[in-house]
Structure formats: C-alpha cells, structure tokens
Amino acid sequence: MTIAENIRRIRRAAGMTQDEFGRLAGVSSMAVSQWENGRAIPRMGTIEKISLALRIAKSEIIEDDVVPDNAIIAASNHDRFSSESLSIKAAPLAKVPVVGSTHAGKPHLPEEFDELPEVLVPQFLLDRDPDSYAIEVDGDCMDRICPPGMVAIVQPGIPAKTGDVVVATIDNADSIMRRMTVINGDLILSPESHNPEHMNLYITAQDDRQVKVEHVAYFQSREAL
C-alpha cells in the first residue's frame, strides 16, 4: 500500500474523522485530505507524532505494506482514548517492571516501590533494549498523545534525539515527560497538551543543572495487552 492508503486505513481503523486525525497530528484536515489523496506526504516529525499517539510503528505509515495485524490503536479520537486492535495476529509478549510514575505536568519526584509491579509489552521492545522499563503517566501535559493513567515504555539504551518523546530527570530528582528539541546545545522540553497553560521548559547549554533524558518508545494502557 502507498503512504496515502496507509494513512487512510490507519485513520479509519482508529474511528477518526480527517479533522480529528489532523488535530492528533497537529495539522489541518486539509493536510490530512492531501495525504490521503497522494498530493502530499507528512514530514517525519509528524509521522513520529502519529506513530506515538496511535502506538504503531512509523514503518506502518511509510512502507508499501498493509498495516500489520499486530498494530494496536490507542485512540479512537483525539480526546477519547481506548484500546482497540485491528484484525491481528498474536504478537510475542514480555514483562517489564513499572518503576514509578512520571508527571506530564509540573516536575515531581519519581515514586519508589519496595516491590516492582510488571506490565506486558511487545517482545520486540525488549529485543531492542533489554533494559526497557515502564513508568505510569500522571498529569495532562502530554495528553494529546498520552493521557493520564497510560503506561510509557522507556528505553534507556536507545539514544534520545531531537523530536523524540523523553522522560527527563533534572538534578537526579524531578521526572517529567516532554517532547525534546536540541538546538546548538540548548534543550527544549515541550508539552503536547490540550491545556494551553503548559509552557516549554528551556535548559541552556550553560545551565548548571544536570539533565538526563531517556527515549520513550511506546505507550499503552495497563489493560491493552
């Protein structure tokens, strides 16, 4: 299938209108229409935003192939999140520890557990990074792509790059989830929220604070798998 056909199929499988899909992707409904008619193609940053929001691989959008049977759609529209699956083949699963929570709002201390609970995730995530772990999302600062109560799968062994969603730890204390941009050594941590009160967090290259960022690869509800 072409990119246009892939986008149309993915949107319809999620039960979304072109306007709703556009809001999820951060574009107009006209842009979505142009994608589906083959008159334009989305930028890679937009493709990544769609893949994260709907919990599908970027290759499922850009490759000449059908949407794979093991794709799981996380959003039935831009405001109502549920776990729906396409007609699928079973995917191998594995367990990762849920190490605490990260606040998609104001920074706060990560939680500590005496005994770590576990959540099932697709096996390919552990194949890619055996140190993968899960963290619960609290707050609405990233609710355009990940509503509160979801579980984010973090892969510390995968280098985070500009455009990635990351979990950031500041001075070994505060844990937040944002989309990361790096410009000339300066770090920008941006919210993706329906709440306009949330603002970017800027950390310059000269800032004395110690910042650790880890790549967020996947979102799911605890019950999704």
Side-chain angles (χ1 to χ4, degrees):
M1 300 179 75
T2 64
I3 292 177
E5 291 169 331
N6 287 340
I7 291 174
R8 186 183 305 113
R9 179 185 174 112
I10 290 168
R11 176 181 63 79
R12 289 176 176 175
M16 302 173 74
T17 66
Q18 288 184 341
D19 182 63
E20 290 169 338
F21 193 81
R23 279 187 254 175
L24 178 143
V27 300
S28 66
S29 59
M30 182 175 294
V32 176
S33 176
Q34 290 178 330
W35 296 343
E36 293 186 355
N37 290 322
R39 299 193 184 102
I41 59 174
R43 297 182 179 182
M44 283 306 299
T46 303
I47 288 173
E48 179 164 0
K49 183 181 292 188
I50 295 169
S51 72
L52 286 170
L54 300 182
R55 298 205 332 270
I56 58 176
K58 287 180 283 189
S59 61
E60 295 166 24
I61 302 172
I62 62 179
E63 290 185 356
D64 292 336
D65 199 356
V66 297
V67 176
D69 288 339
N70 63 351
I72 296 178
I73 302 300
S76 58
N77 60 43
H78 73 283
D79 282 322
R80 189 181 77 250
F81 288 77
S82 63
S83 296
E84 300 179 6
S85 57
L86 307 175
S87 306
I88 66 169
K89 298 181 269 191
L93 302 178
K95 292 181 178 180
V96 298
V98 181
V99 304
S101 67
T102 187
H103 200 64
K106 294 181 180 179
H108 81 307
L109 289 173
E111 294 183 7
E112 298 289 342
F113 289 94
D114 293 330
E115 183 177 347
L116 297 178
E118 293 180 322
V119 64
L120 285 171
V121 300
Q123 177 66 48
F124 74 85
L125 292 171
L126 269 75
D127 293 341
R128 185 166 61 178
D129 183 4
D131 294 324
S132 297
Y133 64 89
I135 194 163
E136 291 185 346
V137 177
D138 184 23
D140 66 351
C141 208
M142 295 295 287
D143 66 357
R144 284 187 177 274
I145 62 172
C146 182
M150 295 287 280
V151 173
I153 310 303
V154 183
Q155 297 198 301
I158 305 298
K161 61 184 184 301
T162 289
D164 284 353
V165 174
V166 299
V167 168
T169 304
I170 302 172
D171 284 340
N172 296 314
D174 298 332
S175 173
I176 58 174
M177 189 170 70
R178 295 288 191 279
R179 189 172 296 278
M180 180 183 77
T181 304
V182 180
I183 302 176
N184 296 326
D186 296 340
L187 178 67
I188 306 172
L189 298 172
S190 303
E192 295 193 9
S193 176
H194 294 97
N195 184 347
E197 294 182 3
H198 295 301
M199 307 295 289
N200 288 344
L201 174 62
Y202 296 91
I203 301 174
T204 68
Q206 292 76 35
D207 198 302
D208 291 334
R209 287 176 290 178
Q210 298 296 312
V211 182
K212 178 182 178 181
V213 296
E214 294 183 332
H215 174 70
V216 174
Y218 193 81
F219 301 111
Q220 68 178 51
S221 70
R222 278 185 174 274
E223 298 77 21
L225 297 174

